[in-house]
Amino acid sequence: MTDLSDADKAAIRENVHTINNALNVVSMQVELVRLLANDATAADKVAAAIDTVLDECQKAGGVASDISRIIKATG
Amino acid sequence: MPNILLVDDDAGFTDATSALLSAEGLNVCTASTIAEARSLLESGTFDIQFVDLALPDGSGLELVDKRSPRTVIITGHPSVETAIRAVRDRVDDYLVKPLNKADLLSAILTPAQAKATTEGSGRFAGMVGESPQMQALYSELERYGPTNVTVLIRGESGTGKDLVARALHEIYAPKEKFIAVNCGAIPAELIASELFGHEKGSFTGATGKHLGFFERAGNGTVFLDEIGELPLEQQVTLLRVLENRTVQRVGGDRDVKINARVVAATNADIEKAIAAKEFREDLYYRLMVLPVDVPPLREREGDVELLAKHFLAQAADEHGAPGEFADAVLDALQRHSWPGNVRELKHTVLRSALMCIGNNKVDQLPVGFERPPALSGDGGLTVGMSIREVERELIMKTLDHYDGNKTQTAEALGVSLKTLYNRLNEYEASE
């Protein structure tokens, strides 16, 4: 990582932050789904939680690709 | 249940977390900016705030000041640990994302409450027991724990008064020091210096300044075990310490403010000691602000089996002993009156478990367990003996029963080790 520019390092730090935030939302939404799993009237909330989880996973995947690109570009 | 403020700009997190914590019976408010959080803090009463470090209008640390409720910082930047440490005195905890429900709950509950929650209804902060007497004790500890008021714990030897003191400390100030002092074990000539400290040159051998237990405890707890053994001279000083919340080091002329909470314990009948002028009545009432009585094991219905199985599981883990009792052994344990209380049960279970290593079950008890030696017989009780002679006979027979082990003898007799030594020295001197 010593070859990375300060801007690249900052970008990686920011992306790690974004991934952690996304995983945080995933973690809590999954806990919520577990809580609602036995509630027959909570189907809409469960569906919304699953949509959120999928969005956050896509977000995390996107920034993980950005990190790969930065590292690849610096050789 | 605590009121919680959750400050984070990620609605996916705050919505889910708010629903999860509400399902646990907690009251949760959410804010997405510092400004919104400030407004809520001004209008509401919160016990704890979870604050994201990176908020749209600034750093979450801006919400931390002297008036803040208990604060837990949450962050997606694992590398900010150092920055959080810098303000550690103002932040109670910090959590790195991604979080889970257990992280949040353990940060909300005090360590003792968390332990009680995770250990189940039969356990509380290291104590084991689900009898009504113990449930009542747990409720008292939850009520008294968060205050800094002086507590006097009363109970027979071996009932676990030290665990009660520690539980109070865990609820009151878990991050601070817990200093346990056995007032019966410190030589009388050293006790003032140990409790209150001394200045350099205050007596021969005082080569430097020494801080006493009260100063060293800081904002934590000083646990004065066997308070009934504290010499009368020091009782006066302790009374002054409790009333003024200051100590004066031996050889010093300056009052030093103290913040530590004082918890005392006794297995002696202090009221008798007061009548005999061996304990100051004013100190007794000063210590008795909140009395806590620890029940003897014989009064704790159903707890013998629970405790015996708990101690056996420990012995199985540590020594490879069998993990189960034979029915006959469990029956015998439940029939016993346990004069030495939980400590006696623990030692009995350990001895039995060690005797039965290699067996499928613990099917033996130590020799003489159910039949303690009678006092009658050659050299036993006879009409015309003085109380003093009877006491000596009892002490010597008990000492003999425990193969000269003075600690076990003192426990069985329900006296402090110091008292036992004093009696033995008297007998030796009179021979």
Side-chain angles (χ1 to χ4, degrees), chain B residues 148-161:
Chain B
N148 69 347
V149 177
T150 306
V151 174
L152 180 64
I153 304 167
R154 300 179 298 191
E156 293 176 13
S157 182
T159 47
K161 296 184 289 298

Side-chain angles (χ1 to χ4, degrees), chain B residues 329-362:
Chain B
V329 167
L330 202 52
D331 286 347
L333 292 175
Q334 286 172 308
R335 280 198 309 272
H336 192 63
S337 62
W338 301 110
N341 290 297
V342 180
R343 193 186 288 129
E344 185 191 357
L345 172 62
K346 184 179 181 180
H347 292 167
T348 302
V349 169
L350 180 60
R351 284 206 297 274
S352 305
L354 294 178
M355 281 162 52
C356 296
I357 287 178
N359 299 359
N360 288 333
K361 291 183 176 182
V362 173

Side-chain angles (χ1 to χ4, degrees), chain B residues 42-100:
Chain B
E42 273 173 28
S43 59
T45 309
F46 294 96
D47 300 294
I48 181 165
Q49 59 175 350
F50 286 92
V51 181
D52 187 24
L53 204 52
L55 291 166
D57 51 349
S59 163
L61 289 176
E62 288 176 39
L63 288 170
V64 187
D65 62 33
K66 282 180 185 167
R67 293 168 302 152
S68 304
R70 203 147 66 85
T71 300
V72 178
I73 294 290
I74 44 180
T75 173
H77 283 294
S79 58
V80 298
E81 192 174 324
T82 321
I84 302 289
R85 277 195 186 142
V87 290
R88 188 81 178 148
D89 56 331
R90 288 186 286 136
V91 172
D92 293 275
D93 208 346
Y94 72 94
L95 300 170
V96 177
K97 294 176 184 179
L99 312 177
N100 57 42

Side-chain angles (χ1 to χ4, degrees), chain B residues 5-6 10 31 44 61 82 106 134 138 179 219 235 256 274 368 376 393 397 416:
Chain B
L5 176 61
L6 189 57
D10 197 332
L61 289 176
T82 321
S106 64
M134 290 305 283
Y138 301 157
I179 296 187
N219 295 319
Q235 290 178 27
V256 180
I274 291 169
S376 55
E393 182 67 21
K397 285 270 186 188
S416 70

Side-chain angles (χ1 to χ4, degrees), chain B residues 13 60 79 136 139 166 238 243 248 281 298 300 352 377-378:
Chain B
F13 169 68
S79 58
S139 301
R166 208 165 263 284
L238 178 60
E243 283 179 344
Q248 204 170 79
E281 191 174 11
R298 63 184 170 279
R300 293 170 53 180
S352 305
D378 289 344

Side-chain angles (χ1 to χ4, degrees), chain B residues 2-290:
Chain B
N3 292 319
I4 294 156
L5 176 61
L6 189 57
V7 191
D8 196 305
D9 59 330
D10 197 332
F13 169 68
T14 51
D15 291 350
T17 307
S18 177
L20 285 166
L21 296 180
S22 299
E24 294 289 327
L26 301 161
N27 305 315
V28 187
C29 285
T30 61
S32 58
T33 61
I34 291 172
E36 204 182 330
R38 281 200 174 123
S39 162
L40 284 168
L41 283 166
E42 273 173 28
S43 59
T45 309
F46 294 96
D47 300 294
I48 181 165
Q49 59 175 350
F50 286 92
V51 181
D52 187 24
L53 204 52
L55 291 166
D57 51 349
S59 163
L61 289 176
E62 288 176 39
L63 288 170
V64 187
D65 62 33
K66 282 180 185 167
R67 293 168 302 152
S68 304
R70 203 147 66 85
T71 300
V72 178
I73 294 290
I74 44 180
T75 173
H77 283 294
S79 58
V80 298
E81 192 174 324
T82 321
I84 302 289
R85 277 195 186 142
V87 290
R88 188 81 178 148
D89 56 331
R90 288 186 286 136
V91 172
D92 293 275
D93 208 346
Y94 72 94
L95 300 170
V96 177
K97 294 176 184 179
L99 312 177
N100 57 42
K101 197 170 97 178
D103 290 336
L104 290 167
L105 287 177
S106 64
I108 291 166
L109 300 174
T110 63
Q113 287 170 325
K115 260 189 177 176
T117 305
T118 53
E119 286 175 348
S121 63
R123 289 154 193 255
F124 184 91
M127 286 179 282
V128 177
E130 58 188 7
S131 59
Q133 291 85 347
M134 290 305 283
Q135 298 292 345
L137 176 65
Y138 301 157
S139 301
E140 275 187 334
L141 297 182
E142 278 182 323
R143 276 203 311 278
Y144 298 167
T147 72
N148 69 347
V149 177
T150 306
V151 174
L152 180 64
I153 304 167
R154 300 179 298 191
E156 293 176 13
S157 182
T159 47
K161 296 184 289 298
D162 53 337
L163 288 180
V164 172
R166 208 165 263 284
L168 285 166
H169 172 74
E170 286 297 321
I171 298 170
Y172 172 61
K175 289 179 186 167
E176 303 293 338
K177 280 187 190 160
F178 175 84
I179 296 187
V181 187
N182 187 329
C183 299
I186 302 175
E189 59 273 18
L190 289 182
I191 199 155
S193 163
E194 289 300 319
L195 285 176
F196 313 119
H198 66 244
E199 297 289 355
K200 184 179 178 181
S202 54
F203 53 84
T204 311
T207 52
K209 185 175 82 174
H210 172 75
L211 299 185
F213 294 133
F214 286 97
E215 281 187 81
R216 274 192 272 158
N219 295 319
T221 304
V222 176
F223 172 45
L224 301 172
D225 199 4
E226 295 193 29
I227 189 74
E229 302 285 339
L230 192 68
L232 268 170
E233 195 184 334
Q234 308 317 330
Q235 290 178 27
V236 182
T237 316
L238 178 60
L239 178 65
R240 201 169 56 235
V241 169
L242 293 175
E243 283 179 344
N244 300 339
R245 306 292 300 162
T246 57
V247 290
Q248 204 170 79
R249 297 180 199 130
V250 175
D253 54 6
R254 192 169 61 88
D255 285 337
V256 180
K257 190 169 167 17
I258 57 151
N259 294 317
R261 179 192 202 171
V262 177
V263 175
T266 179
N267 60 12
D269 186 340
I270 291 229
E271 280 162 15
K272 274 187 192 161
I274 291 169
K277 305 280 181 206
E278 290 168 357
F279 200 87
R280 290 183 65 99
E281 191 174 11
D282 45 8
L283 176 60
Y284 176 61
Y285 287 110
R286 190 67 192 72
L287 291 168
M288 271 275 284
V289 182
L290 291 177

